[in-house]
Amino acid sequence: MTSVLKAKLLAGIFLVAIAIAAPAQTVSTIYTFSSGSNPNYPAGVMAQGQDGNFYGVTLSGNGCCQGVIYKISSEGAITSLYSMGQSDGTNCTGLTLGTDGNFYGTCKNGGTNNYGTLFKVTSAGVLTVLHNFAAQGSTSDGCIPYVPPIQASNGDFYGTTAFCGANNYGTVYKLTLAGAYTMLYSFQGPPNDTVLPLGLIEGTDGNLWGVGNGWIISGGGIFKITLAGKESLVYTFQPNADGGYLDGEGPDANLIQGSNGDFYGTTEEGGSANEGTIFSLTESGTETVLYSFPNQTDGAYPSLPLTQAPNGLLFGAATDCAGGGCSQAGLFDITTKGAYKSVYLYPLVCSNCGQPFAPLLLSTNGTFYSTTEQGGIGVGSFYSLSNGYGPFISPVNVKSSAEGSRVGILGQGFSSKSVVAFGGTKATATKLTGGTYITATVPTGALTGDITVTTGSTVLSTLASFRITPTYKSFAPPSGPVGTVVTFNGTGLTQTTKVTIDNLSATFTVVSDSEITATVPTGAATGKIVVTTKGGSVTSSTSFTVN
């Protein structure tokens, strides 16, 4: 176990930063939490709701460790939505917005077995416990989830538990929108994989990616797992001859995937000064240390996920508590090439002080928002970080989709006259929910590219390209000799870049968005047809027979 994680688990408390004067920055206090029955000690990830407000959960407000679900506007108007009880869960970890408009979260303790719960809560504050995690020692289920689940592009939710499972090294689970829970995978530990997983993200390759802290066994590792539960270890943090970890040790936060396709994360220890690192990782598993924290002057020991800005900069917080001692925490930004800059230092005598235990959330208005677990009058603050970024739109929990599917879009300034387009192709079926949320059906002929919402003279775009995935319907004829022209039917075929038959490249012609023709190449044997487009690839369900 890393000294940092051990201190957190054994002490069960957060420490206050030492007072050091800090220059004025772009951080603004919006709201200071108050004690008593009010929501206080906010922690964990916040979610932006369909109404444009932010939703989160605190660690207190209904007694020790029993928090409150709250919503708060960008101006600081706060509403208590639900007071958590022991049966709902304690020591909760944040919220995730689902495509159904509800929020999904986990708690590390409480519930039937006191080892955590998985719940959903509506924007009006109606909470339902969906699953009670097993008691410590269970091999048939996980326990003690550290982060809320994410919703994958297939509509199901996926998450991790830090402990229990077949080897007590943690698990990956799945939850459908209908509420069906399945334990997908039990971690085995080194050398097969890692231990103590810290959440998941969905990569553009369709896999779920995550990190394991390593606990007392190793320095941690990075893994990927298919939606069906097949896990692979991608990278293991390696000790040097002296026992240190120059490439990082003890990651305590999940990855993000950057707009360039690489993954980025932090480790809480390791690096040149053993005070933590920021690293990048390619899909193939090449890890690069972008920055080793040299001292505690500008913060160190990062333990929160990074957030990428519209211009590609990575923002994060160095929480600076390790082994029971704290210095000054700080916000930073870093380029994907490793150019690091301290953005803000959390002073003691202020509204934004103490330890930040929530990552920065980039709102669709272009401003970052987050909370400190302490500060204000001692029980937390809600603050913003403005770097002059403009507004944008964000599809909810989906990076790619086929024609005919519905996509929810967060933004602002929408009206009944708003026009949605996918890669320049107008969507004719849209539904408006207030001025901050709109759903649209991906139209026939949609192209991989930006989603745009045009309202009058204002055009808002996504920060990343949205991929239109191809589908397969049929092909004909079913058989023939080399040189046969095969007609392949599906959707999303306009941007076809490659066709293979029996894994051999075939010449092809795009006839329409729903049809291409391909010529069976020399040397091909019986095999399936694979069509690759700018948005992905699709494989025929049956083989073409070469005779």
mmCIF file of all heavy atoms in Angstrom, residues 430-478:
data_model
loop_
_atom_site.group_PDB
_atom_site.id
_atom_site.type_symbol
_atom_site.label_atom_id
_atom_site.label_comp_id
_atom_site.label_asym_id
_atom_site.label_seq_id
_atom_site.Cartn_x
_atom_site.Cartn_y
_atom_site.Cartn_z
ATOM 1 N N THR A 430 -35.855 16.225 -33.708
ATOM 2 C CA THR A 430 -35.235 16.747 -32.487
ATOM 3 C C THR A 430 -36.308 16.975 -31.429
ATOM 4 O O THR A 430 -37.486 17.129 -31.743
ATOM 5 C CB THR A 430 -34.497 18.073 -32.744
ATOM 6 O OG1 THR A 430 -35.436 19.041 -33.217
ATOM 7 C CG2 THR A 430 -33.391 17.891 -33.767
ATOM 8 N N LYS A 431 -35.870 16.997 -30.166
ATOM 9 C CA LYS A 431 -36.777 17.269 -29.063
ATOM 10 C C LYS A 431 -36.067 18.176 -28.074
ATOM 11 O O LYS A 431 -34.975 17.851 -27.599
ATOM 12 C CB LYS A 431 -37.207 15.972 -28.372
ATOM 13 C CG LYS A 431 -38.161 16.205 -27.200
ATOM 14 C CD LYS A 431 -38.538 14.888 -26.527
ATOM 15 C CE LYS A 431 -39.460 15.121 -25.332
ATOM 16 N NZ LYS A 431 -39.800 13.850 -24.644
ATOM 17 N N LEU A 432 -36.675 19.294 -27.771
ATOM 18 C CA LEU A 432 -36.083 20.281 -26.884
ATOM 19 C C LEU A 432 -36.555 20.074 -25.453
ATOM 20 O O LEU A 432 -37.742 19.859 -25.201
ATOM 21 C CB LEU A 432 -36.452 21.690 -27.355
ATOM 22 C CG LEU A 432 -35.880 22.861 -26.556
ATOM 23 C CD1 LEU A 432 -34.383 22.973 -26.768
ATOM 24 C CD2 LEU A 432 -36.574 24.159 -26.968
ATOM 25 N N THR A 433 -35.611 20.108 -24.499
ATOM 26 C CA THR A 433 -35.946 20.072 -23.078
ATOM 27 C C THR A 433 -35.324 21.309 -22.437
ATOM 28 O O THR A 433 -34.163 21.303 -22.041
ATOM 29 C CB THR A 433 -35.417 18.797 -22.408
ATOM 30 O OG1 THR A 433 -35.924 17.656 -23.096
ATOM 31 C CG2 THR A 433 -35.853 18.732 -20.954
ATOM 32 N N GLY A 434 -36.060 22.400 -22.385
ATOM 33 C CA GLY A 434 -35.521 23.643 -21.858
ATOM 34 C C GLY A 434 -34.475 24.219 -22.796
ATOM 35 O O GLY A 434 -34.343 23.810 -23.952
ATOM 36 N N GLY A 435 -33.710 25.161 -22.308
ATOM 37 C CA GLY A 435 -32.717 25.815 -23.139
ATOM 38 C C GLY A 435 -31.343 25.209 -23.063
ATOM 39 O O GLY A 435 -30.395 25.713 -23.688
ATOM 40 N N THR A 436 -31.204 24.091 -22.309
ATOM 41 C CA THR A 436 -29.871 23.525 -22.096
ATOM 42 C C THR A 436 -29.737 22.067 -22.509
ATOM 43 O O THR A 436 -28.669 21.479 -22.338
ATOM 44 C CB THR A 436 -29.484 23.644 -20.610
ATOM 45 O OG1 THR A 436 -30.498 23.007 -19.805
ATOM 46 C CG2 THR A 436 -29.339 25.100 -20.189
ATOM 47 N N TYR A 437 -30.800 21.464 -23.049
ATOM 48 C CA TYR A 437 -30.729 20.052 -23.420
ATOM 49 C C TYR A 437 -31.619 19.788 -24.619
ATOM 50 O O TYR A 437 -32.764 20.243 -24.668
ATOM 51 C CB TYR A 437 -31.160 19.161 -22.249
ATOM 52 C CG TYR A 437 -30.985 17.683 -22.492
ATOM 53 C CD1 TYR A 437 -29.715 17.106 -22.478
ATOM 54 C CD2 TYR A 437 -32.083 16.864 -22.732
ATOM 55 C CE1 TYR A 437 -29.547 15.742 -22.703
ATOM 56 C CE2 TYR A 437 -31.921 15.498 -22.949
ATOM 57 C CZ TYR A 437 -30.653 14.943 -22.935
ATOM 58 O OH TYR A 437 -30.482 13.599 -23.154
ATOM 59 N N ILE A 438 -31.073 19.073 -25.588
ATOM 60 C CA ILE A 438 -31.825 18.734 -26.787
ATOM 61 C C ILE A 438 -31.428 17.329 -27.218
ATOM 62 O O ILE A 438 -30.271 16.927 -27.073
ATOM 63 C CB ILE A 438 -31.551 19.768 -27.919
ATOM 64 C CG1 ILE A 438 -32.567 19.622 -29.042
ATOM 65 C CG2 ILE A 438 -30.125 19.685 -28.429
ATOM 66 C CD1 ILE A 438 -32.504 20.772 -30.050
ATOM 67 N N THR A 439 -32.378 16.545 -27.702
ATOM 68 C CA THR A 439 -32.077 15.231 -28.251
ATOM 69 C C THR A 439 -32.337 15.267 -29.748
ATOM 70 O O THR A 439 -33.238 15.958 -30.225
ATOM 71 C CB THR A 439 -32.926 14.128 -27.603
ATOM 72 O OG1 THR A 439 -34.322 14.439 -27.740
ATOM 73 C CG2 THR A 439 -32.589 13.976 -26.139
ATOM 74 N N ALA A 440 -31.531 14.507 -30.482
ATOM 75 C CA ALA A 440 -31.654 14.475 -31.936
ATOM 76 C C ALA A 440 -31.418 13.063 -32.430
ATOM 77 O O ALA A 440 -30.585 12.317 -31.881
ATOM 78 C CB ALA A 440 -30.652 15.435 -32.578
ATOM 79 N N THR A 441 -32.136 12.680 -33.471
ATOM 80 C CA THR A 441 -31.939 11.389 -34.114
ATOM 81 C C THR A 441 -30.883 11.539 -35.202
ATOM 82 O O THR A 441 -30.977 12.434 -36.054
ATOM 83 C CB THR A 441 -33.248 10.882 -34.726
ATOM 84 O OG1 THR A 441 -34.220 10.723 -33.683
ATOM 85 C CG2 THR A 441 -33.042 9.550 -35.416
ATOM 86 N N VAL A 442 -29.866 10.675 -35.173
ATOM 87 C CA VAL A 442 -28.801 10.739 -36.168
ATOM 88 C C VAL A 442 -29.408 10.482 -37.546
ATOM 89 O O VAL A 442 -30.007 9.428 -37.778
ATOM 90 C CB VAL A 442 -27.699 9.711 -35.875
ATOM 91 C CG1 VAL A 442 -26.586 9.806 -36.918
ATOM 92 C CG2 VAL A 442 -27.132 9.923 -34.475
ATOM 93 N N PRO A 443 -29.293 11.424 -38.479
ATOM 94 C CA PRO A 443 -30.002 11.301 -39.759
ATOM 95 C C PRO A 443 -29.297 10.394 -40.762
ATOM 96 O O PRO A 443 -28.095 10.120 -40.647
ATOM 97 C CB PRO A 443 -30.015 12.745 -40.268
ATOM 98 C CG PRO A 443 -28.749 13.325 -39.727
ATOM 99 C CD PRO A 443 -28.564 12.698 -38.366
ATOM 100 N N THR A 444 -30.030 9.943 -41.746
ATOM 101 C CA THR A 444 -29.442 9.229 -42.867
ATOM 102 C C THR A 444 -28.449 10.140 -43.576
ATOM 103 O O THR A 444 -28.724 11.311 -43.816
ATOM 104 C CB THR A 444 -30.537 8.790 -43.854
ATOM 105 O OG1 THR A 444 -31.455 7.927 -43.179
ATOM 106 C CG2 THR A 444 -29.949 8.075 -45.060
ATOM 107 N N GLY A 445 -27.289 9.612 -43.869
ATOM 108 C CA GLY A 445 -26.259 10.405 -44.529
ATOM 109 C C GLY A 445 -25.396 11.208 -43.581
ATOM 110 O O GLY A 445 -24.564 12.002 -44.036
ATOM 111 N N ALA A 446 -25.580 11.013 -42.286
ATOM 112 C CA ALA A 446 -24.741 11.735 -41.310
ATOM 113 C C ALA A 446 -23.274 11.373 -41.517
ATOM 114 O O ALA A 446 -22.934 10.244 -41.879
ATOM 115 C CB ALA A 446 -25.178 11.385 -39.899
ATOM 116 N N LEU A 447 -22.403 12.338 -41.279
ATOM 117 C CA LEU A 447 -20.968 12.146 -41.485
ATOM 118 C C LEU A 447 -20.207 12.277 -40.183
ATOM 119 O O LEU A 447 -20.587 13.055 -39.300
ATOM 120 C CB LEU A 447 -20.435 13.181 -42.477
ATOM 121 C CG LEU A 447 -21.089 13.202 -43.865
ATOM 122 C CD1 LEU A 447 -20.490 14.325 -44.704
ATOM 123 C CD2 LEU A 447 -20.925 11.863 -44.572
ATOM 124 N N THR A 448 -19.138 11.520 -40.055
ATOM 125 C CA THR A 448 -18.243 11.671 -38.916
ATOM 126 C C THR A 448 -17.660 13.083 -38.924
ATOM 127 O O THR A 448 -17.163 13.556 -39.943
ATOM 128 C CB THR A 448 -17.115 10.630 -38.979
ATOM 129 O OG1 THR A 448 -17.682 9.330 -38.752
ATOM 130 C CG2 THR A 448 -16.043 10.907 -37.940
ATOM 131 N N GLY A 449 -17.750 13.762 -37.797
ATOM 132 C CA GLY A 449 -17.303 15.141 -37.689
ATOM 133 C C GLY A 449 -17.961 15.790 -36.494
ATOM 134 O O GLY A 449 -18.517 15.115 -35.612
ATOM 135 N N ASP A 450 -17.948 17.109 -36.434
ATOM 136 C CA ASP A 450 -18.551 17.831 -35.320
ATOM 137 C C ASP A 450 -20.066 17.731 -35.364
ATOM 138 O O ASP A 450 -20.684 17.757 -36.440
ATOM 139 C CB ASP A 450 -18.161 19.312 -35.362
ATOM 140 C CG ASP A 450 -16.698 19.542 -35.034
ATOM 141 O OD1 ASP A 450 -16.063 18.621 -34.495
ATOM 142 O OD2 ASP A 450 -16.196 20.641 -35.337
ATOM 143 N N ILE A 451 -20.669 17.619 -34.176
ATOM 144 C CA ILE A 451 -22.102 17.898 -34.050
ATOM 145 C C ILE A 451 -22.225 19.403 -33.842
ATOM 146 O O ILE A 451 -21.446 19.995 -33.083
ATOM 147 C CB ILE A 451 -22.726 17.158 -32.853
ATOM 148 C CG1 ILE A 451 -22.514 15.657 -32.953
ATOM 149 C CG2 ILE A 451 -24.222 17.457 -32.768
ATOM 150 C CD1 ILE A 451 -22.995 14.900 -31.724
ATOM 151 N N THR A 452 -23.167 20.020 -34.495
ATOM 152 C CA THR A 452 -23.403 21.453 -34.304
ATOM 153 C C THR A 452 -24.860 21.696 -33.951
ATOM 154 O O THR A 452 -25.754 20.958 -34.388
ATOM 155 C CB THR A 452 -23.048 22.271 -35.553
ATOM 156 O OG1 THR A 452 -23.847 21.805 -36.655
ATOM 157 C CG2 THR A 452 -21.579 22.137 -35.898
ATOM 158 N N VAL A 453 -25.089 22.706 -33.131
ATOM 159 C CA VAL A 453 -26.441 23.192 -32.853
ATOM 160 C C VAL A 453 -26.445 24.674 -33.208
ATOM 161 O O VAL A 453 -25.702 25.471 -32.616
ATOM 162 C CB VAL A 453 -26.836 22.987 -31.377
ATOM 163 C CG1 VAL A 453 -28.228 23.581 -31.130
ATOM 164 C CG2 VAL A 453 -26.839 21.508 -31.022
ATOM 165 N N THR A 454 -27.274 25.027 -34.185
ATOM 166 C CA THR A 454 -27.363 26.411 -34.648
ATOM 167 C C THR A 454 -28.668 27.021 -34.166
ATOM 168 O O THR A 454 -29.759 26.493 -34.445
ATOM 169 C CB THR A 454 -27.300 26.473 -36.178
ATOM 170 O OG1 THR A 454 -26.076 25.860 -36.623
ATOM 171 C CG2 THR A 454 -27.347 27.912 -36.667
ATOM 172 N N THR A 455 -28.561 28.094 -33.425
ATOM 173 C CA THR A 455 -29.726 28.817 -32.911
ATOM 174 C C THR A 455 -29.576 30.272 -33.335
ATOM 175 O O THR A 455 -28.750 31.005 -32.784
ATOM 176 C CB THR A 455 -29.817 28.714 -31.381
ATOM 177 O OG1 THR A 455 -29.745 27.338 -30.988
ATOM 178 C CG2 THR A 455 -31.129 29.307 -30.885
ATOM 179 N N GLY A 456 -30.334 30.671 -34.325
ATOM 180 C CA GLY A 456 -30.153 32.009 -34.870
ATOM 181 C C GLY A 456 -28.779 32.143 -35.483
ATOM 182 O O GLY A 456 -28.380 31.344 -36.329
ATOM 183 N N SER A 457 -28.011 33.134 -35.042
ATOM 184 C CA SER A 457 -26.665 33.338 -35.566
ATOM 185 C C SER A 457 -25.593 32.634 -34.741
ATOM 186 O O SER A 457 -24.408 32.709 -35.069
ATOM 187 C CB SER A 457 -26.356 34.850 -35.598
ATOM 188 O OG SER A 457 -26.431 35.404 -34.282
ATOM 189 N N THR A 458 -26.003 31.929 -33.681
ATOM 190 C CA THR A 458 -25.053 31.249 -32.795
ATOM 191 C C THR A 458 -24.895 29.792 -33.196
ATOM 192 O O THR A 458 -25.883 29.057 -33.298
ATOM 193 C CB THR A 458 -25.514 31.322 -31.332
ATOM 194 O OG1 THR A 458 -25.638 32.695 -30.944
ATOM 195 C CG2 THR A 458 -24.515 30.623 -30.421
ATOM 196 N N VAL A 459 -23.669 29.379 -33.429
ATOM 197 C CA VAL A 459 -23.362 27.989 -33.766
ATOM 198 C C VAL A 459 -22.457 27.420 -32.680
ATOM 199 O O VAL A 459 -21.344 27.921 -32.451
ATOM 200 C CB VAL A 459 -22.671 27.873 -35.137
ATOM 201 C CG1 VAL A 459 -22.386 26.401 -35.456
ATOM 202 C CG2 VAL A 459 -23.525 28.492 -36.223
ATOM 203 N N LEU A 460 -22.926 26.383 -31.992
ATOM 204 C CA LEU A 460 -22.128 25.696 -30.978
ATOM 205 C C LEU A 460 -21.741 24.326 -31.508
ATOM 206 O O LEU A 460 -22.553 23.640 -32.138
ATOM 207 C CB LEU A 460 -22.912 25.554 -29.675
ATOM 208 C CG LEU A 460 -23.364 26.854 -28.994
ATOM 209 C CD1 LEU A 460 -24.137 26.533 -27.718
ATOM 210 C CD2 LEU A 460 -22.178 27.755 -28.687
ATOM 211 N N SER A 461 -20.490 23.929 -31.217
ATOM 212 C CA SER A 461 -19.967 22.661 -31.729
ATOM 213 C C SER A 461 -19.442 21.795 -30.595
ATOM 214 O O SER A 461 -19.142 22.279 -29.508
ATOM 215 C CB SER A 461 -18.830 22.914 -32.730
ATOM 216 O OG SER A 461 -19.246 23.713 -33.800
ATOM 217 N N THR A 462 -19.308 20.506 -30.883
ATOM 218 C CA THR A 462 -18.660 19.593 -29.955
ATOM 219 C C THR A 462 -17.158 19.838 -29.962
ATOM 220 O O THR A 462 -16.600 20.352 -30.933
ATOM 221 C CB THR A 462 -18.944 18.131 -30.343
ATOM 222 O OG1 THR A 462 -18.678 17.957 -31.744
ATOM 223 C CG2 THR A 462 -20.387 17.760 -30.060
ATOM 224 N N LEU A 463 -16.506 19.475 -28.878
ATOM 225 C CA LEU A 463 -15.061 19.645 -28.773
ATOM 226 C C LEU A 463 -14.301 18.552 -29.511
ATOM 227 O O LEU A 463 -13.140 18.727 -29.866
ATOM 228 C CB LEU A 463 -14.635 19.659 -27.306
ATOM 229 C CG LEU A 463 -15.205 20.783 -26.447
ATOM 230 C CD1 LEU A 463 -14.678 20.675 -25.022
ATOM 231 C CD2 LEU A 463 -14.894 22.149 -27.038
ATOM 232 N N ALA A 464 -14.956 17.419 -29.723
ATOM 233 C CA ALA A 464 -14.307 16.294 -30.410
ATOM 234 C C ALA A 464 -15.223 15.787 -31.507
ATOM 235 O O ALA A 464 -16.450 15.927 -31.445
ATOM 236 C CB ALA A 464 -13.999 15.164 -29.415
ATOM 237 N N SER A 465 -14.633 15.196 -32.505
ATOM 238 C CA SER A 465 -15.392 14.649 -33.623
ATOM 239 C C SER A 465 -16.310 13.530 -33.138
ATOM 240 O O SER A 465 -15.925 12.693 -32.319
ATOM 241 C CB SER A 465 -14.425 14.127 -34.682
ATOM 242 O OG SER A 465 -15.110 13.590 -35.782
ATOM 243 N N PHE A 466 -17.538 13.519 -33.637
ATOM 244 C CA PHE A 466 -18.502 12.465 -33.307
ATOM 245 C C PHE A 466 -18.496 11.463 -34.450
ATOM 246 O O PHE A 466 -18.680 11.834 -35.616
ATOM 247 C CB PHE A 466 -19.898 13.068 -33.116
ATOM 248 C CG PHE A 466 -20.929 12.077 -32.634
ATOM 249 C CD1 PHE A 466 -21.081 11.827 -31.280
ATOM 250 C CD2 PHE A 466 -21.737 11.399 -33.532
ATOM 251 C CE1 PHE A 466 -22.020 10.912 -30.823
ATOM 252 C CE2 PHE A 466 -22.685 10.482 -33.088
ATOM 253 C CZ PHE A 466 -22.828 10.237 -31.729
ATOM 254 N N ARG A 467 -18.285 10.192 -34.127
ATOM 255 C CA ARG A 467 -18.121 9.169 -35.150
ATOM 256 C C ARG A 467 -19.463 8.513 -35.498
ATOM 257 O O ARG A 467 -20.187 8.077 -34.609
ATOM 258 C CB ARG A 467 -17.130 8.110 -34.684
ATOM 259 C CG ARG A 467 -15.700 8.650 -34.533
ATOM 260 C CD ARG A 467 -14.725 7.635 -33.990
ATOM 261 N NE ARG A 467 -15.012 7.300 -32.598
ATOM 262 C CZ ARG A 467 -15.405 6.119 -32.183
ATOM 263 N NH1 ARG A 467 -15.593 5.124 -33.033
ATOM 264 N NH2 ARG A 467 -15.643 5.900 -30.897
ATOM 265 N N ILE A 468 -19.751 8.452 -36.777
ATOM 266 C CA ILE A 468 -20.938 7.746 -37.271
ATOM 267 C C ILE A 468 -20.512 6.319 -37.584
ATOM 268 O O ILE A 468 -19.734 6.067 -38.506
ATOM 269 C CB ILE A 468 -21.523 8.417 -38.523
ATOM 270 C CG1 ILE A 468 -21.828 9.896 -38.241
ATOM 271 C CG2 ILE A 468 -22.780 7.685 -38.976
ATOM 272 C CD1 ILE A 468 -22.812 10.130 -37.114
ATOM 273 N N THR A 469 -20.992 5.376 -36.809
ATOM 274 C CA THR A 469 -20.570 3.985 -36.966
ATOM 275 C C THR A 469 -21.392 3.303 -38.046
ATOM 276 O O THR A 469 -22.614 3.479 -38.131
ATOM 277 C CB THR A 469 -20.716 3.220 -35.645
ATOM 278 O OG1 THR A 469 -22.056 3.370 -35.149
ATOM 279 C CG2 THR A 469 -19.750 3.760 -34.608
ATOM 280 N N PRO A 470 -20.755 2.525 -38.918
ATOM 281 C CA PRO A 470 -21.488 1.827 -39.978
ATOM 282 C C PRO A 470 -22.240 0.617 -39.445
ATOM 283 O O PRO A 470 -21.893 0.062 -38.393
ATOM 284 C CB PRO A 470 -20.372 1.404 -40.936
ATOM 285 C CG PRO A 470 -19.177 1.209 -40.041
ATOM 286 C CD PRO A 470 -19.309 2.260 -38.966
ATOM 287 N N THR A 471 -23.269 0.206 -40.146
ATOM 288 C CA THR A 471 -24.005 -1.008 -39.802
ATOM 289 C C THR A 471 -24.085 -1.908 -41.031
ATOM 290 O O THR A 471 -23.901 -1.470 -42.166
ATOM 291 C CB THR A 471 -25.432 -0.708 -39.321
ATOM 292 O OG1 THR A 471 -26.201 -0.154 -40.397
ATOM 293 C CG2 THR A 471 -25.418 0.267 -38.151
ATOM 294 N N TYR A 472 -24.381 -3.162 -40.790
ATOM 295 C CA TYR A 472 -24.494 -4.174 -41.857
ATOM 296 C C TYR A 472 -25.916 -4.702 -41.922
ATOM 297 O O TYR A 472 -26.532 -4.980 -40.891
ATOM 298 C CB TYR A 472 -23.523 -5.327 -41.584
ATOM 299 C CG TYR A 472 -23.862 -6.607 -42.315
ATOM 300 C CD1 TYR A 472 -23.606 -6.734 -43.681
ATOM 301 C CD2 TYR A 472 -24.455 -7.677 -41.654
ATOM 302 C CE1 TYR A 472 -23.920 -7.906 -44.362
ATOM 303 C CE2 TYR A 472 -24.761 -8.856 -42.311
ATOM 304 C CZ TYR A 472 -24.495 -8.963 -43.671
ATOM 305 O OH TYR A 472 -24.823 -10.117 -44.341
ATOM 306 N N LYS A 473 -26.442 -4.833 -43.138
ATOM 307 C CA LYS A 473 -27.763 -5.437 -43.330
ATOM 308 C C LYS A 473 -27.683 -6.737 -44.129
ATOM 309 O O LYS A 473 -28.234 -7.763 -43.732
ATOM 310 C CB LYS A 473 -28.699 -4.444 -44.020
ATOM 311 C CG LYS A 473 -29.108 -3.265 -43.151
ATOM 312 C CD LYS A 473 -30.113 -2.363 -43.875
ATOM 313 C CE LYS A 473 -30.544 -1.204 -42.970
ATOM 314 N NZ LYS A 473 -31.504 -0.287 -43.669
ATOM 315 N N SER A 474 -26.983 -6.692 -45.266
ATOM 316 C CA SER A 474 -26.921 -7.879 -46.119
ATOM 317 C C SER A 474 -25.847 -7.692 -47.185
ATOM 318 O O SER A 474 -25.328 -6.588 -47.370
ATOM 319 C CB SER A 474 -28.270 -8.125 -46.795
ATOM 320 O OG SER A 474 -28.593 -7.041 -47.661
ATOM 321 N N PHE A 475 -25.506 -8.789 -47.863
ATOM 322 C CA PHE A 475 -24.691 -8.675 -49.072
ATOM 323 C C PHE A 475 -25.156 -9.725 -50.079
ATOM 324 O O PHE A 475 -25.742 -10.749 -49.713
ATOM 325 C CB PHE A 475 -23.187 -8.817 -48.784
ATOM 326 C CG PHE A 475 -22.742 -10.190 -48.343
ATOM 327 C CD1 PHE A 475 -22.488 -11.203 -49.269
ATOM 328 C CD2 PHE A 475 -22.551 -10.483 -46.995
ATOM 329 C CE1 PHE A 475 -22.068 -12.467 -48.862
ATOM 330 C CE2 PHE A 475 -22.134 -11.728 -46.574
ATOM 331 C CZ PHE A 475 -21.888 -12.734 -47.518
ATOM 332 N N ALA A 476 -24.896 -9.461 -51.342
ATOM 333 C CA ALA A 476 -25.305 -10.372 -52.410
ATOM 334 C C ALA A 476 -24.346 -10.194 -53.594
ATOM 335 O O ALA A 476 -23.845 -9.087 -53.836
ATOM 336 C CB ALA A 476 -26.743 -10.087 -52.833
ATOM 337 N N PRO A 477 -24.070 -11.282 -54.333
ATOM 338 C CA PRO A 477 -24.524 -12.647 -54.100
ATOM 339 C C PRO A 477 -23.794 -13.268 -52.905
ATOM 340 O O PRO A 477 -22.771 -12.731 -52.472
ATOM 341 C CB PRO A 477 -24.149 -13.346 -55.403
ATOM 342 C CG PRO A 477 -22.931 -12.597 -55.874
ATOM 343 C CD PRO A 477 -23.182 -11.179 -55.520
ATOM 344 N N PRO A 478 -24.258 -14.427 -52.421
ATOM 345 C CA PRO A 478 -23.613 -15.054 -51.260
ATOM 346 C C PRO A 478 -22.322 -15.776 -51.612
ATOM 347 O O PRO A 478 -21.539 -16.091 -50.722
ATOM 348 C CB PRO A 478 -24.668 -16.032 -50.756
ATOM 349 C CG PRO A 478 -25.480 -16.363 -51.980
ATOM 350 C CD PRO A 478 -25.521 -15.120 -52.791
#
